[in-house]
């Protein structure tokens, strides 16, 4: 089977290069999520090409570029750092590339588009329609409501563009032959035409080998890695942590986001809180393995948690370090026995659960972490998840022939 993936994806070395050049996170989690599935396709003998909209250079104009890594061929679209012009570039270049890919590819073929790569997906979908190639969409998060606008009314032009783009994303779902969702709730909200769909919440690298890493810290470490945003429960977590009557414990936070300024203010008040910045995924994984407890404070009372599966959950579990998380409805029941969960999402509730969990012995914590690691390796490897999606693709291709 030949698969063309349209979205944000790149080899690890390219992502690390972007971080070094810009100091910013180019979307490590979504890139890793996509790459793991694509590597699973390759392992299962599919031929994979990627049409990536990642901006590799902090320059006004980035040229078309190609690279091949681990049997995946990456093509980076030319980019112009001007919002509307850039989208036009993406549409035209993705249309042309998809035509070229289809004409030189023999045998069964299918296109998988990340809906959030909306402009490049538009071009590829147009080409797929022209050549009668089946096309599937993967939705990794909640689409912002069409009524969403920025509070700064002076940016009316951006508000108009944003609303048009979101409405376009909603409408584009109807053009696909099959849908890949991360949670079961997505089908009710985003599949009005009842197209064939599959739920695949995430995956872990089947090549991962658990190796004991000696801790480099004298204190116990509670760690978070991901987007640092106010709506992810950081205010509650930080206030709860500051109330912990434990001196030899630290809270390490990795990532980027709009809550950084407030986070740094908390760090000034409590020396146990440490903002670690944006680092490579390799460094994140090593830090996760050295931590005592990995935490996800994202509040469950928000509507969006029904329509997303936090990819950090499987990455956390793979590390072998125990995970403490809120009870997010996007996380299937089968995961729950392998996680610690907050009983109450308040400052007091977070504090109590942190105290309770950190009071456990290192042996108990280690056993919980290793149990979670076994679960994801045995049930959620990228090879297994890719096989499920490929079987789904075979059904879509067969339906397209009718």
């Amino acid at each position: 089977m030949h698969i063309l993936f349209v979205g944000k994806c790149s080899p690890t070395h390219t992502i690390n290069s972007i971080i070094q050049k810009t100091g910013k996170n180019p979307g490590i989690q979504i890139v890793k999520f996509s790459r793991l599935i694509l590597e699973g396709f390759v392992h299962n003998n599919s031929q994979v090409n990627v049409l990536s909209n990642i901006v590799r250079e902090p320059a006004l104009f980035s040229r078309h570029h190609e690279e091949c890594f681990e049997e995946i061929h990456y093509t980076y679209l030319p980019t112009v750092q001007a919002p509307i012009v850039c989208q036009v570039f993406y549409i035209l270049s993705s249309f042309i590339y998809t035509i070229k890919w289809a004409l030189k590819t023999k045998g069964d073929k299918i296109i998988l588009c990340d809906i959030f790569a909306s402009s490049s997906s538009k071009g590829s979908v147009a080409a797929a329609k022209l050549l009668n190639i089946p096309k599937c969409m993967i939705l990794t998060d909640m689409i912002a409501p069409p009524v969403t606008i920025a509070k700064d009314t002076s940016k009316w032009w951006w508000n108009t563009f944003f609303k048009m783009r979101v409405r376009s994303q909603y409408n584009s779902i109807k053009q696909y032959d099959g849908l890949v969702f991360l949670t079961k709730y997505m089908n009710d909200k985003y599949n009005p035409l009842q197209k064939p769909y599959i739920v695949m919440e995430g995956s872990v690298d089947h090549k991962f080998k658990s190796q004991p890493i000696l801790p480099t810290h004298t204190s116990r470490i509670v760690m978070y890695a991901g987007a640092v945003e106010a709506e992810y429960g950081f205010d509650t977590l930080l206030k709860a942590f500051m109330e912990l009557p434990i001196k030899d414990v630290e809270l390490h936070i990795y990532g980027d986001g709009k809550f950084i300024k407030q986070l740094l203010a908390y760090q000034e008040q409590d020396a146990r809180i440490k903002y670690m910045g944006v680092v490579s995924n390799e460094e994140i994984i090593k830090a996760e393995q050295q931590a005592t407890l990995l935490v996800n404070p994202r509040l469950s009372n928000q509507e969006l948690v029904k329509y997303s599966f936090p990819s950090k959950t499987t990455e956390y579990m793979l590390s072998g370090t125990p995970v403490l998380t809120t009870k997010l409805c996007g996380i299937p029941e089968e995961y729950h026995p392998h996680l610690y969960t907050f009983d109450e999402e308040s400052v007091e509730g977070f504090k109590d659960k942190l105290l309770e969990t950190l009071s456990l012995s290192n042996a108990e914590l280690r056993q919980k972490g290793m149990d979670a690691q076994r679960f994801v390796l045995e049930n959620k490897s990228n090879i297994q998840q890719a096989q499920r999606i490929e079987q789904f693709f075979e059904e879509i291709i067969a339906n397209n022939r009718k």
Side-chain angles (χ1 to χ4, degrees):
M1 183 186 299
H2 295 269
I3 301 170
L4 174 63
F5 175 74
V6 183
K8 185 174 284 190
C9 192
S10 188
T12 302
H13 64 264
T14 302
I15 294 299
N16 292 343
S17 175
I18 294 171
I19 293 174
Q20 290 173 0
K21 290 176 181 177
T22 66
K24 295 182 179 180
N25 180 357
I28 291 175
Q29 289 299 331
I30 186 60
V31 170
K32 183 176 181 180
F33 172 89
S34 302
R35 191 178 62 246
L36 281 175
I37 294 301
L38 299 184
E39 289 175 357
F41 291 154
V42 169
H43 186 274
N44 299 333
N45 297 317
S46 289
Q47 305 298 310
V48 178
N49 287 65
V50 175
L51 198 54
S52 179
N53 62 350
I54 281 184
V55 180
R56 297 180 303 107
E57 301 285 345
L60 179 62
F61 177 75
S62 297
R63 294 179 181 275
H64 159 273
H65 175 73
E66 297 185 21
E67 67 175 320
C68 190
F69 187 74
E70 293 187 348
E71 299 183 58
I72 300 174
H73 188 90
Y74 296 87
T75 298
Y76 300 94
L77 297 171
T79 304
V80 178
Q81 297 297 330
I84 297 177
V85 177
C86 182
Q87 309 314 313
V88 174
F89 261 68
Y90 281 161
I91 293 172
L92 292 176
S93 55
S94 60
F95 176 82
I96 293 170
Y97 177 83
T98 303
I99 293 287
K100 290 181 178 178
W101 169 81
L103 293 178
K104 70 180 182 181
T105 301
K106 307 300 180 182
D108 288 343
K109 58 178 77 70
I110 194 166
I111 298 173
L112 176 63
C113 296
D114 180 347
I115 195 172
F116 294 114
S118 53
S119 297
S120 44
S121 292
K122 272 184 173 58
S124 292
V125 167
K129 286 183 175 180
L130 184 65
L131 299 175
N132 193 32
I133 301 171
K135 50 208 175 297
C136 287
M137 176 212 74
I138 185 166
L139 182 61
T140 56
D141 209 337
M142 181 180 182
I143 301 175
V147 296
T148 302
I149 60 172
K151 294 181 180 179
D152 185 354
T153 54
S154 66
K155 295 182 178 179
W156 61 269
W157 58 271
W158 173 253
N159 296 335
T160 302
F161 173 73
F162 179 75
K163 286 192 287 184
M164 289 175 59
R165 184 177 180 180
V166 169
R167 192 169 285 114
S168 174
Q169 289 173 342
Y170 269 97
N171 293 334
S172 70
I173 296 174
K174 302 171 185 177
Q175 303 179 57
Y176 292 96
D177 304 302
L179 312 173
V180 181
F181 294 134
L182 265 65
T183 77
K184 62 182 181 182
Y185 303 101
M186 285 180 164
N187 184 57
D188 298 329
K189 188 175 181 68
Y190 297 115
N191 193 8
L193 300 182
Q194 293 301 297
K195 297 284 186 74
Y197 75 97
I198 186 173
V199 176
M200 193 284 299
E201 68 277 0
S203 68
V204 297
D205 191 345
H206 76 282
K207 299 188 299 293
F208 179 86
K209 301 296 182 184
S210 180
Q211 297 178 345
I213 296 181
L214 296 176
T216 58
H217 310 282
T218 55
S219 301
R220 280 187 154 191
I221 304 299
V222 178
M223 177 182 162
Y224 170 88
V228 186
E229 304 290 350
E231 59 266 28
Y232 287 6
F234 274 98
D235 200 52
T236 305
L237 174 65
L238 291 165
K239 287 177 180 177
F241 186 83
M242 290 175 68
E243 291 187 10
L244 290 180
I246 309 173
K247 292 183 179 180
D248 61 339
V249 64
E250 296 178 1
L251 175 60
H252 292 189
I253 297 175
Y254 294 79
D256 195 11
K258 297 176 183 177
F259 195 74
I260 297 298
K261 185 176 180 180
Q262 296 94 313
L263 171 58
L264 294 176
Y266 278 109
Q267 184 176 259
E268 288 292 320
Q269 299 175 51
D270 192 327
R272 298 176 301 171
I273 297 172
K274 300 183 186 298
Y275 174 56
M276 311 301 286
V278 178
V279 301
S280 69
N281 191 244
E282 291 87 348
E283 291 177 80
I284 291 289
I285 292 172
K286 184 177 179 180
E288 288 170 349
Q289 291 178 287
Q290 291 183 332
T292 308
L293 181 68
L294 304 174
V295 64
N296 183 8
R298 190 169 187 171
L299 303 179
S300 64
N301 60 359
Q302 301 168 332
E303 184 189 12
L304 60 87
V305 302
K306 292 173 64 178
Y307 310 110
S308 65
F309 177 89
S311 57
K312 70 171 62 64
T313 303
T314 47
E315 181 181 285
Y316 276 1
M317 295 172 75
L318 183 63
S319 71
T321 299
V323 182
L324 173 60
T325 178
T326 50
K327 297 175 182 177
L328 302 173
C329 56
I331 300 178
E333 289 285 337
E334 60 180 324
Y335 285 78
H336 293 181
H338 313 286
L339 303 167
Y340 294 121
T341 55
F342 290 107
D343 300 316
E344 183 183 339
E345 295 177 17
S346 65
V347 172
E348 192 67 23
F350 273 26
K351 184 191 77 172
D352 290 345
K353 195 64 182 184
L354 283 167
L355 276 173
E356 177 187 323
T357 309
L358 290 170
S359 69
L360 298 174
S361 68
N362 288 336
E364 289 177 282
L365 292 171
R366 180 66 175 168
Q367 183 177 351
K368 186 76 169 184
M370 295 307 295
D371 171 65
Q373 184 185 82
R374 280 191 297 273
F375 170 75
V376 292
L377 281 172
E378 292 174 3
N379 300 280
K380 305 296 175 181
S381 78
N382 56 333
I383 292 176
Q384 292 167 308
Q385 300 290 51
Q387 283 175 339
R388 293 182 59 230
I389 296 176
E390 285 170 315
Q391 290 170 1
F392 177 65
F393 284 171
E394 288 171 359
E395 295 173 11
I396 300 300
I397 292 171
N399 290 338
N400 193 62
R401 292 197 187 105
K402 296 178 181 177

